[in-house]
Amino acid sequence: MAKQQRTIITCAVTGAIHTPTMSDALPYTYDDIAAQAIAAAEAGASILHLHARDNETGAPSVNTDDFSPFLGRIKQATDAVVNISTGGSLTLSIQDRIKPAATFSAEMCSMNMGSMNFSFHPLAKRYGDDDWKFDWEKDYVANSDGNIFRNTFRDIREAAETLAPHDIKFEHECYDVGHLYNLKFCMDAGLFKAPVFIQFVMGILGGIGADIDNLVFMKKTADKLFGEDYRWSILAAGASQIPMATTASQMGGHVRVGLEDSLFISRGELAESNAQQVAKVRRVVEELGCQVASPDEAREILDLKGGDRVNF
Amino acid sequence: MAKQQRTIITCAVTGAIHTPTMSDALPYTYDDIAAQAIAAAEAGASILHLHARDNETGAPSVNTDDFSPFLGRIKQATDAVVNISTGGSLTLSIQDRIKPAATFSAEMCSMNMGSMNFSFHPLAKRYGDDDWKFDWEKDYVANSDGNIFRNTFRDIREAAETLAPHDIKFEHECYDVGHLYNLKFCMDAGLFKAPVFIQFVMGILGGIGADIDNLVFMKKTADKLFGEDYRWSILAAGASQIPMATTASQMGGHVRVGLEDSLFISRGELAESNAQQVAKVRRVVEELGCQVASPDEAREILDLKGGDRVNF
Amino acid sequence: MAKQQRTIITCAVTGAIHTPTMSDALPYTYDDIAAQAIAAAEAGASILHLHARDNETGAPSVNTDDFSPFLGRIKQATDAVVNISTGGSLTLSIQDRIKPAATFSAEMCSMNMGSMNFSFHPLAKRYGDDDWKFDWEKDYVANSDGNIFRNTFRDIREAAETLAPHDIKFEHECYDVGHLYNLKFCMDAGLFKAPVFIQFVMGILGGIGADIDNLVFMKKTADKLFGEDYRWSILAAGASQIPMATTASQMGGHVRVGLEDSLFISRGELAESNAQQVAKVRRVVEELGCQVASPDEAREILDLKGGDRVNF
Amino acid sequence: MAKQQRTIITCAVTGAIHTPTMSDALPYTYDDIAAQAIAAAEAGASILHLHARDNETGAPSVNTDDFSPFLGRIKQATDAVVNISTGGSLTLSIQDRIKPAATFSAEMCSMNMGSMNFSFHPLAKRYGDDDWKFDWEKDYVANSDGNIFRNTFRDIREAAETLAPHDIKFEHECYDVGHLYNLKFCMDAGLFKAPVFIQFVMGILGGIGADIDNLVFMKKTADKLFGEDYRWSILAAGASQIPMATTASQMGGHVRVGLEDSLFISRGELAESNAQQVAKVRRVVEELGCQVASPDEAREILDLKGGDRVNF
Ligand SMILES: [Zn+2]
Ligand SMILES: [Zn+2]
Ligand SMILES: [Zn+2]
Ligand SMILES: [Zn+2]
């Protein structure tokens, strides 16, 4: 089991689930993604988990051209670790999905540790046909009952081998107990080296639910499988985001917040920004006795290559 | 939580994972499937979980023509409940996969409660190129690292709605904690009615591992989500098949054995037949104080429509 | 499992473990106990768990004469529920220990659900011989390695039967898993009626440790044994007091703070008062989305007889 | 976590709870204790956990004179490890209770890791006033609702220090989660050295109940507290004795059976002898793939001083 000194706050700024209609605060232009990421870092996030979106429509994008405009500005303005998603599309191949991480040779990138249903179609019912800001949104949300978030064992191997020369640390997103076993299988096959960084993802329809029972069990399972060879964080979707992060911080875990994972600042109240969520979780975990990690402390805890070895 | 009176033994006779090379005992001809199913019933199995295979090559099949030859003979010779798989192919659509269950209007059919990696490629390394009995086997096994066992929320809805007129009871195969949440979501949407019958599937690469920690947690989660509205059984793949079944029987669970799930009778020793596994698990659970359910007791416990309402 | 509407904060004002030397804030005079209890109620505590002490020396007391001076003043100044300890002495008989609860016919009283070692002797090493404010303190602390907190099944029966006419609701203090089984045994014997109110006591040397694993397991066990027939709260001793209370509030539990259980407001920093702990836990649990119960809401949640039916 | 090679069967031959009235098979004469112990060893028990009783009345005894007559005969006839109880009386001091272990300098002795209620008074209702074989039995059983099994931290220290020169390995009987914490506290204080041997005692009224949830949690807690520094076994009282032992053996645990812990061979059927229970548990655990340890294998697993260094 990994003991932590400091609590790392990751902020997932925009993601690929929520759509512009759902919250005016959700950033999708290059400018807004950059600004909110920088503000999140200033509020205490030491890792910025980033997706790109189309600058005009807000549609999720894995084009490197949609990353460039904000990556440079974020690097210039903050020392935070940049973590680039490899999960930004449910239809594209693994090679397409890892291209941004490889192109920019980020310090970190995410990696979903299996295939699964990944659905948010119940959200569609909250909006009338005229409510949607952009054309793509309604179908994107409503049709997600047919979604499979795909990462076969072969895909994972391909991603690991392609990215190996970049010395990128993975944020292994584990949506269920079996994903931990998958990670163990891949480690035993030599694909990832210790310490691995595991993100327990809870509360997505298709994965494990978000409650403290499940968190305790995910951690127990990770202890059983990985011993001292892992670090971990929690991402709880929706209203339980900050409460679950608080409990995780008491168990020695790191925490992830951000508008990718929840649009809310408290039950029923939309967050104004990513930074507002970062500030809130920071305030609570510090009040309960944890101290927040700086970017360099995060680099040390996770054994990262350093912000000077990226390609942006 | 569901208390059991009697322990139901399901026997999964042949499945779609193992190949003829792996054990001479694995039945694939119509004759052998029928004979082993009947012997399993005589040994104490009250439910027979059945896949079809090509009569010549043993390749997995979802053709109704490959079911007919053995279904009638099994019905004639035993009173056991027939349960027809809907998971016999990783490439075909849900409509193709549920066709046998619908055609024969079985009392039960299986239903995988989500999508997942489903791999057995490590088995390929145990055999040399010349070891394989049939041409299809090697690639089938070796390429399973690219497999996704697909059942989106939309697929599940389609299957439930198509099969609703047949009053079929599902064996909800849950390979991970999230699959229980998926089932809960589907029950809340009205797709399945209580009591549901959940098969905890443990030890498949891609799903949750097979140990007692995981079994206890799966059951706790089911208690939390379903209260009194479920019955459950365990299927542990490989060498832990009978030991895990034994523990489950002590927890009030039903058990599944059969060559689909394990080719072994004890560690390192191949089973001679499905009936041998049934007899062994029966002997052990009875020695520890459980009593085995007859087919009619199984029908009562699971609230089945009855063996006279099938179409074969 | 019991769902809560509001979170009840209990404040345990002085107890019988800590001694005046350990913190200047620990109240022991009649005046200070009254003042701190009232301030705690004003800060948000709806239940006041009270022990008496000698007005001159601060030594724990179960004399009714040491309760009277503050009980009336507390009743006059607040509407909070008064809960009188039955555990204030490790040497006296159960009849002596329940006398204050019976004499004053309080709305609630505590009840330790078993016998156990109950030791705080390691604290003695923190003080030099000249540090102790009062003569009794050193031996009281240092000799606690020989302590048994005694409540046999016969003692529990005697207390339950003696107090039955007073319609007192018990705070069943459960220091370990077996104490839950003891409570179940006593409920089955008709000694206590649902809903029972269980205080999970964690982190006392002799009982279960204070961590989230243990909290989850205590609650799971209570769910298993009591179903809907219980309400629960947590008391974590020492530095984990407020963090554990925070997690419990997220699980639907009530919380107990106060200088009886911890002298600290954060790691290494002594609390200035009971009210300071109440205010802090209130602030955190409200920030995470819970609402604090008023005394009348607490009375409704726990099914109490009412503040007008006490004898002080 | 401790991996086992072989499964050690301990047989607890007579104990101090059951009385002669309850089963004709319960040995209490010197001859019968010797004969049943020897037969248990021949059936596969590699450790014999022994109490003495009065040769005439069967009343529990801690007199060394009541041990001598059978100890020598057991040593002569078997190579099994002798383990002498230190818990044979609820009224005598720790010094009296450890005297047999010290006098005979056994390879092992038991040690209850805390104080607790320890009651079997419900058994008294099963017998009419005229049913009792001996005068002492009825009160002994009926009054156990007032029992405290006493082992304060000071008692434990005294026992550990007194027995240290004898190089005795303790069977640390842990009846609840808190007892594991007590053991950890004592190990940190230097009283016991690794690997410690923990007996999880389940199903005694006053301690944790006997089910698989609790077993898994006890083991998880031991893993958390002791890492690789412990070996463990299970003792489940009453009808769950052999089923729980079976599950424990699958989890890497050792097992304890014997008439001290259960008078039954299956639900509702009295065992004919200790050896019958040993033979049954051996048959089941071997059928599920474990192998039983010989006395010398048990000595190696538990790091015992050897059968040639005892004083009888
Ligand atoms: Zn993402
Ligand atoms: Zn199948
Ligand atoms: Zn108290
Ligand atoms: Zn004993």
Side-chain angles (χ1 to χ4, degrees):
Chain A
M1 191 205 60
K3 277 271 176 192
Q4 85 181 96
Q5 301 302 321
R6 301 258 172 163
T7 304
I8 300 171
I9 301 175
T10 294
C11 183
V13 176
T14 185
I17 298 177
H18 294 127
T19 70
T21 296
M22 298 175 184
S23 169
D24 292 340
L26 184 75
Y28 61 88
T29 65
Y30 307 149
D31 285 355
D32 201 7
I33 290 174
Q36 288 212 32
I38 293 163
E42 287 168 350
S46 50
I47 302 177
L48 299 167
H49 169 107
L50 297 169
H51 292 237
R53 293 190 182 246
D54 183 281
N55 195 51
E56 306 302 325
T57 68
S61 164
V62 298
N63 290 338
T64 54
D65 289 352
D66 287 325
F67 280 90
S68 302
F70 57 75
L71 285 181
R73 289 159 63 183
I74 290 169
K75 182 179 177 184
Q76 190 171 35
T78 83
D79 189 33
V81 175
V82 167
N83 172 335
I84 292 181
S85 173
T86 68
S89 164
L90 293 162
T91 51
L92 295 176
S93 72
I94 185 69
Q95 284 297 355
D96 287 332
R97 289 192 279 124
I98 63 177
K99 199 172 165 198
T103 300
F104 301 109
S105 197
E107 287 185 87
M108 299 183 72
C109 70
S110 64
M111 172 63 63
N112 202 355
M113 290 312 296
S115 304
M116 59 183 292
N117 292 347
F118 192 105
S119 189
F120 37 97
H121 66 280
L123 293 177
K125 296 176 197 148
R126 301 188 188 172
Y127 304 94
D129 277 358
D130 298 339
D131 292 339
W132 301 100
K133 290 183 185 170
F134 297 100
D135 285 347
W136 62 274
E137 296 183 68
K138 184 185 168 185
D139 284 354
Y140 184 76
V141 176
N143 290 340
S144 66
D145 65 340
N147 280 358
I148 295 176
F149 192 137
R150 170 195 173 92
N151 260 11
T152 64
F153 285 103
R154 191 177 292 173
D155 293 335
I156 293 169
R157 171 176 290 276
E158 201 168 314
E161 290 176 349
T162 304
L163 292 169
H166 293 279
D167 196 13
I168 292 177
K169 177 68 68 174
F170 292 91
E171 175 194 10
H172 294 282
E173 299 195 346
C174 290
Y175 291 71
D176 214 336
V177 178
H179 288 196
L180 298 170
Y181 282 86
N182 293 350
L183 175 56
K184 172 69 171 167
F185 179 84
C186 292
M187 285 183 78
D188 289 346
L191 298 185
F192 306 112
K193 64 175 194 227
V196 291
F197 179 54
I198 302 176
Q199 189 70 260
F200 297 148
V201 185
M202 310 182 81
I204 294 291
L205 183 53
I208 200 168
D211 69 21
I212 293 171
D213 298 348
N214 291 345
L215 171 57
V216 165
F217 193 71
M218 289 291 276
K219 180 171 177 301
K220 285 278 175 197
T221 306
D223 287 345
K224 179 170 69 183
L225 297 176
F226 306 109
E228 302 281 344
D229 290 341
Y230 81 105
R231 307 290 176 268
W232 66 280
S233 174
I234 188 170
L235 170 187
S240 58
Q241 180 188 58
I242 290 173
M244 288 294 291
T246 303
T247 292
S249 71
Q250 293 299 318
M251 294 166 62
H254 304 288
V255 304
R256 176 170 139 179
V257 293
L259 298 180
E260 169 167 351
D261 304 331
S262 171
L263 295 172
F264 297 89
I265 190 64
S266 61
R267 196 168 293 274
E269 186 186 355
L270 288 172
E272 292 166 12
S273 67
N274 280 279
Q276 191 190 19
Q277 290 181 341
V278 172
K280 180 171 176 176
V281 80
R282 179 183 190 156
R283 188 168 62 245
V284 175
V285 304
E286 287 185 343
E287 180 143 49
L288 296 179
C290 295
Q291 286 180 288
V292 167
S294 69
D296 281 344
E297 289 166 336
R299 287 182 174 97
E300 190 183 341
I301 293 167
L302 301 181
D303 193 22
L304 305 184
K305 66 178 177 182
D308 55 337
R309 294 180 55 208
V310 300
N311 190 23
F312 58 88
Chain B
M1 193 205 60
K3 276 273 174 189
Q4 86 182 94
Q5 302 300 321
R6 299 257 171 165
T7 304
I8 300 170
I9 301 175
T10 294
C11 183
V13 176
T14 185
I17 298 178
H18 294 127
T19 70
T21 296
M22 297 175 185
S23 169
D24 292 339
L26 183 76
Y28 61 88
T29 65
Y30 307 149
D31 285 355
D32 200 7
I33 291 174
Q36 289 212 31
I38 292 163
E42 287 168 350
S46 50
I47 301 177
L48 299 167
H49 170 107
L50 297 169
H51 293 237
R53 293 189 182 247
D54 183 280
N55 196 52
E56 307 302 325
T57 68
S61 164
V62 298
N63 291 338
T64 54
D65 288 352
D66 287 325
F67 280 90
S68 302
F70 57 76
L71 285 181
R73 289 160 63 183
I74 290 168
K75 182 180 177 183
Q76 191 172 32
T78 84
D79 189 33
V81 176
V82 166
N83 173 335
I84 293 181
S85 173
T86 69
S89 164
L90 292 163
T91 52
L92 296 175
S93 72
I94 186 70
Q95 284 297 354
D96 287 331
R97 287 191 280 123
I98 64 177
K99 200 173 166 197
T103 300
F104 300 110
S105 197
E107 287 184 87
M108 299 184 71
C109 70
S110 64
M111 172 62 63
N112 202 353
M113 289 313 295
S115 304
M116 59 185 289
N117 291 348
F118 191 106
S119 190
F120 38 97
H121 66 280
L123 293 177
K125 295 177 199 148
R126 300 188 189 172
Y127 305 94
D129 276 358
D130 298 339
D131 292 339
W132 301 101
K133 290 183 186 169
F134 297 101
D135 285 347
W136 62 273
E137 295 183 71
K138 183 185 169 186
D139 283 355
Y140 184 77
V141 176
N143 289 339
S144 66
D145 66 340
N147 278 358
I148 295 176
F149 192 135
R150 169 195 172 93
N151 261 10
T152 66
F153 285 104
R154 192 177 292 173
D155 292 334
I156 293 169
R157 170 176 290 277
E158 201 168 315
E161 290 175 351
T162 303
L163 292 169
H166 293 279
D167 197 13
I168 292 177
K169 177 68 69 175
F170 293 91
E171 174 193 13
H172 294 282
E173 298 195 347
C174 291
Y175 291 70
D176 214 337
V177 178
H179 288 196
L180 297 171
Y181 281 85
N182 292 351
L183 175 56
K184 172 69 171 167
F185 179 84
C186 292
M187 284 183 78
D188 289 346
L191 299 184
F192 305 112
K193 65 177 193 222
V196 290
F197 179 54
I198 302 176
Q199 189 70 259
F200 298 146
V201 185
M202 310 182 81
I204 294 292
L205 182 54
I208 200 168
D211 69 20
I212 293 172
D213 297 349
N214 291 344
L215 171 58
V216 165
F217 192 71
M218 289 291 277
K219 180 171 177 299
K220 285 278 175 198
T221 305
D223 287 345
K224 178 169 71 182
L225 296 176
F226 305 108
E228 302 282 342
D229 290 343
Y230 81 106
R231 306 291 175 267
W232 66 280
S233 175
I234 188 171
L235 170 187
S240 58
Q241 180 187 59
I242 289 173
M244 288 293 290
T246 302
T247 291
S249 72
Q250 292 300 318
M251 295 166 62
H254 304 288
V255 303
R256 177 171 138 179
V257 294
L259 299 180
E260 170 167 350
D261 305 330
S262 170
L263 295 171
F264 297 88
I265 191 64
S266 61
R267 196 167 293 275
E269 186 185 355
L270 287 172
E272 294 167 10
S273 67
N274 280 278
Q276 190 190 19
Q277 291 181 339
V278 172
K280 180 171 177 177
V281 80
R282 178 182 192 160
R283 187 168 63 245
V284 175
V285 304
E286 286 185 344
E287 180 142 49
L288 297 178
C290 294
Q291 288 180 289
V292 167
S294 69
D296 281 345
E297 288 166 338
R299 287 183 173 95
E300 190 184 340
I301 292 167
L302 301 181
D303 193 23
L304 304 185
K305 66 179 177 182
D308 54 338
R309 293 180 56 206
V310 299
N311 191 24
F312 57 88
Chain C
M1 191 204 58
K3 277 270 176 190
Q4 85 181 95
Q5 302 302 320
R6 300 256 171 164
T7 304
I8 301 170
I9 301 175
T10 295
C11 183
V13 176
T14 185
I17 298 178
H18 294 128
T19 70
T21 296
M22 297 175 184
S23 170
D24 292 340
L26 184 75
Y28 62 86
T29 66
Y30 307 149
D31 285 356
D32 200 7
I33 291 174
Q36 288 213 32
I38 293 163
E42 288 168 351
S46 49
I47 302 178
L48 299 167
H49 169 107
L50 297 169
H51 292 237
R53 292 190 182 248
D54 183 282
N55 195 51
E56 306 302 326
T57 68
S61 164
V62 298
N63 291 339
T64 55
D65 289 352
D66 288 325
F67 279 90
S68 302
F70 58 75
L71 285 181
R73 289 159 64 182
I74 290 169
K75 182 180 177 183
Q76 191 172 33
T78 84
D79 188 33
V81 175
V82 166
N83 173 336
I84 292 181
S85 173
T86 68
S89 163
L90 292 163
T91 52
L92 295 175
S93 73
I94 186 70
Q95 283 297 354
D96 287 332
R97 288 191 280 125
I98 65 177
K99 199 173 166 196
T103 300
F104 300 109
S105 197
E107 287 186 86
M108 298 183 72
C109 70
S110 64
M111 171 64 62
N112 201 353
M113 290 312 296
S115 304
M116 58 185 290
N117 292 347
F118 192 105
S119 189
F120 37 97
H121 67 280
L123 293 177
K125 294 176 199 148
R126 300 188 190 173
Y127 305 94
D129 277 358
D130 298 340
D131 291 338
W132 301 100
K133 290 183 185 170
F134 296 101
D135 285 348
W136 63 272
E137 295 184 70
K138 183 185 168 185
D139 283 355
Y140 185 76
V141 176
N143 290 339
S144 65
D145 65 340
N147 278 359
I148 295 176
F149 192 136
R150 170 195 172 93
N151 260 11
T152 66
F153 284 103
R154 192 177 291 174
D155 292 335
I156 293 169
R157 170 175 290 278
E158 201 168 315
E161 291 176 351
T162 303
L163 292 169
H166 291 280
D167 197 15
I168 291 177
K169 177 68 68 174
F170 293 91
E171 175 194 11
H172 294 283
E173 298 194 347
C174 291
Y175 291 71
D176 214 336
V177 178
H179 288 196
L180 297 171
Y181 281 85
N182 292 350
L183 175 55
K184 172 69 172 167
F185 179 84
C186 292
M187 284 184 78
D188 289 346
L191 299 185
F192 305 112
K193 65 175 192 227
V196 291
F197 179 53
I198 302 176
Q199 190 71 258
F200 298 147
V201 186
M202 309 181 82
I204 295 291
L205 182 54
I208 199 169
D211 69 20
I212 293 172
D213 297 348
N214 291 344
L215 171 57
V216 165
F217 193 72
M218 290 291 276
K219 179 170 178 301
K220 285 278 174 197
T221 305
D223 286 346
K224 177 169 71 182
L225 296 177
F226 306 109
E228 302 281 343
D229 291 341
Y230 81 105
R231 307 289 176 269
W232 67 280
S233 175
I234 188 170
L235 169 188
S240 57
Q241 180 187 60
I242 290 173
M244 289 293 291
T246 302
T247 292
S249 72
Q250 292 300 318
M251 295 167 61
H254 304 288
V255 303
R256 177 171 139 179
V257 294
L259 299 180
E260 169 167 352
D261 305 331
S262 170
L263 295 171
F264 296 88
I265 190 65
S266 61
R267 195 168 294 273
E269 186 186 354
L270 288 172
E272 292 166 10
S273 67
N274 280 280
Q276 190 189 18
Q277 291 181 339
V278 172
K280 179 171 178 177
V281 81
R282 178 183 192 157
R283 187 169 61 246
V284 175
V285 303
E286 287 185 344
E287 180 143 47
L288 296 179
C290 295
Q291 286 180 288
V292 167
S294 70
D296 281 344
E297 288 166 337
R299 287 182 173 95
E300 190 183 340
I301 293 167
L302 301 182
D303 193 22
L304 304 184
K305 67 179 176 182
D308 55 336
R309 294 180 54 207
V310 300
N311 191 24
F312 57 89
Chain D
M1 192 205 60
K3 277 272 175 189
Q4 85 181 97
Q5 302 301 322
R6 300 257 170 166
T7 305
I8 300 171
I9 301 176
T10 294
C11 183
V13 175
T14 185
I17 298 177
H18 294 126
T19 70
T21 297
M22 298 175 185
S23 170
D24 292 339
L26 183 75
Y28 61 87
T29 64
Y30 306 149
D31 284 356
D32 201 7
I33 291 174
Q36 289 213 32
I38 292 163
E42 287 168 351
S46 49
I47 301 177
L48 299 167
H49 169 107
L50 298 169
H51 292 237
R53 292 188 182 249
D54 182 281
N55 195 51
E56 307 302 326
T57 68
S61 163
V62 298
N63 290 338
T64 54
D65 290 351
D66 288 326
F67 279 91
S68 303
F70 58 76
L71 285 182
R73 288 159 63 182
I74 291 168
K75 182 180 177 184
Q76 190 171 32
T78 84
D79 188 35
V81 175
V82 167
N83 173 335
I84 292 181
S85 173
T86 68
S89 164
L90 292 162
T91 51
L92 295 175
S93 72
I94 186 69
Q95 283 298 353
D96 286 331
R97 289 191 279 124
I98 64 176
K99 199 172 166 198
T103 301
F104 300 108
S105 197
E107 287 185 87
M108 298 184 72
C109 70
S110 64
M111 172 63 63
N112 201 354
M113 289 312 297
S115 304
M116 59 184 291
N117 291 347
F118 191 106
S119 190
F120 36 96
H121 67 279
L123 293 177
K125 294 177 199 148
R126 300 187 189 172
Y127 305 94
D129 278 359
D130 298 339
D131 291 339
W132 301 101
K133 290 183 186 169
F134 296 101
D135 285 347
W136 63 273
E137 295 183 70
K138 183 185 168 185
D139 283 355
Y140 184 75
V141 177
N143 289 340
S144 66
D145 65 341
N147 279 359
I148 294 176
F149 192 136
R150 170 196 172 91
N151 260 12
T152 64
F153 285 103
R154 192 177 293 174
D155 293 334
I156 293 169
R157 170 175 290 278
E158 201 168 316
E161 291 176 350
T162 303
L163 292 169
H166 292 280
D167 196 12
I168 292 177
K169 176 68 68 173
F170 292 91
E171 175 193 12
H172 294 282
E173 298 194 348
C174 290
Y175 292 70
D176 215 336
V177 179
H179 288 196
L180 297 171
Y181 282 86
N182 293 350
L183 175 56
K184 172 69 172 166
F185 179 84
C186 293
M187 283 183 79
D188 289 346
L191 299 184
F192 305 113
K193 65 177 191 221
V196 290
F197 179 54
I198 302 176
Q199 189 70 258
F200 298 147
V201 186
M202 310 183 81
I204 294 291
L205 182 53
I208 201 169
D211 70 19
I212 292 171
D213 298 348
N214 291 344
L215 171 57
V216 165
F217 193 71
M218 289 291 277
K219 179 170 178 302
K220 285 277 175 198
T221 305
D223 286 345
K224 178 169 71 182
L225 296 176
F226 305 109
E228 302 281 344
D229 290 342
Y230 81 105
R231 305 290 175 270
W232 67 279
S233 175
I234 188 170
L235 169 186
S240 57
Q241 180 187 59
I242 290 172
M244 289 292 292
T246 303
T247 293
S249 71
Q250 292 300 318
M251 295 167 61
H254 304 288
V255 303
R256 175 171 141 181
V257 293
L259 299 180
E260 170 168 351
D261 304 330
S262 170
L263 296 171
F264 297 89
I265 190 65
S266 62
R267 196 167 293 274
E269 186 186 354
L270 288 172
E272 294 167 11
S273 67
N274 280 279
Q276 190 189 20
Q277 291 181 340
V278 172
K280 180 171 177 177
V281 80
R282 178 181 192 160
R283 188 168 63 245
V284 176
V285 305
E286 287 185 344
E287 181 143 50
L288 296 178
C290 295
Q291 286 180 289
V292 167
S294 70
D296 281 345
E297 289 167 337
R299 287 182 174 94
E300 189 183 341
I301 292 168
L302 301 180
D303 193 23
L304 305 184
K305 66 179 176 182
D308 54 337
R309 294 180 54 208
V310 299
N311 191 23
F312 58 88

